[in-house]
Amino acid sequence: SPFKSIKMEMYEVPVPNQEIPGCPPGLEYLTQVDQLLIKQKVELAEALIGFESNNKYEIRNSMGQDCCGPMRSFTIHVVDHNGQKVITITRPLNCTACCCPCCLQELEVQSPPGNTVGYVRQQWHPFSPKFIVSDENNEPVLKIHGPFCGWSCLPDVDFEILTMDEVTQIGKISKQWTGLLREVFTDSDNFGIQFPMDLDVKMKATMIGACFLIDFMFFESNN
């Protein structure tokens, strides 16, 4: 397969035994949250010898309860506690010349797998990371703006989630510093996502995809 497979575990929080209109099966939990924490899992052997295996993640809510888990293509499968795939995130291989308008990055989010719920596409800008978040019909819904260049050395980095007119910030994706010692010995990243509680659950799922695109574009090593 041309895609790198990255697997996470997603643990469901009990929800009413009824379908939620407009909510893809498996995403019922996302209707109840306005914050998520994405933590990269690093095995001890990986940290000590520098051997990097397939990335694994945990996705937690703001209370710390488990909810789920560089320039290259990838496929991410989010699975629930039964091993059922509930979200698939795919990113095709694009060249890495981010200064060139013809080399922009993008990904597609499906839930359930095979059913597109959103897209994240990079906008060209010479100095700042910018993205358009679109729905399943390719209609732009939100924008994501990162900080001005020179921010990569900062301990905490915020990417603002904005309305299409760029007037209102409705949330953010934050790269959170995990401490000097851990940063020295591992390349693991922690991210937080904040969005309105009533944001369309499909867009919440797409924001998880946006977080991984940001991570792989700006914070992962080239190895």
Side-chain angles (χ1 to χ4, degrees), residues 5 32 71 74 88 117 121 136 138 142 153 176 189 193 206 210:
S5 179
Q32 306 176 40
M71 298 301 175
F74 61 69
T88 296
V117 295
R121 294 186 174 90
E136 65 270 31
N138 263 319
L142 296 168
C153 61
Q176 301 172 340
D189 295 326
I193 310 176
T206 304

Side-chain angles (χ1 to χ4, degrees), residues 29-133:
Y29 174 78
L30 290 181
T31 65
Q32 306 176 40
V33 299
D34 61 359
Q35 296 184 57
L36 293 171
L37 176 64
I38 298 180
K39 298 176 64 67
Q40 185 174 354
K41 299 174 65 176
V42 178
E43 302 295 337
L44 178 60
E46 181 180 335
L48 292 177
I49 67 176
F51 176 78
E52 186 171 354
S53 59
N54 281 358
N55 294 12
K56 297 180 180 179
Y57 300 85
E58 293 178 344
I59 301 182
R60 302 179 178 182
N61 63 19
S62 59
M63 300 300 293
Q65 299 168 317
D66 290 331
C67 316
C68 359
M71 298 301 175
R72 57 182 181 268
S73 61
F74 61 69
T75 296
I76 297 176
H77 300 298
V78 181
V79 302
D80 63 20
H81 65 293
N82 293 319
Q84 186 70 33
K85 295 178 182 178
V86 294
I87 300 175
T88 296
I89 302 167
T90 57
R91 173 194 178 197
L93 177 64
N94 284 330
C95 64
T96 61
C98 59
C99 61
C100 178
C102 64
C103 300
L104 302 179
Q105 306 298 311
E106 63 179 67
L107 60 74
E108 176 183 351
V109 179
Q110 299 179 352
S111 182
N115 180 57
T116 302
V117 295
Y119 301 89
V120 182
R121 294 186 174 90
Q122 181 186 11
Q123 285 185 295
W124 184 81
H125 191 278
F127 304 116
S128 301
K130 294 181 183 290
F131 301 88
I132 291 286
V133 180

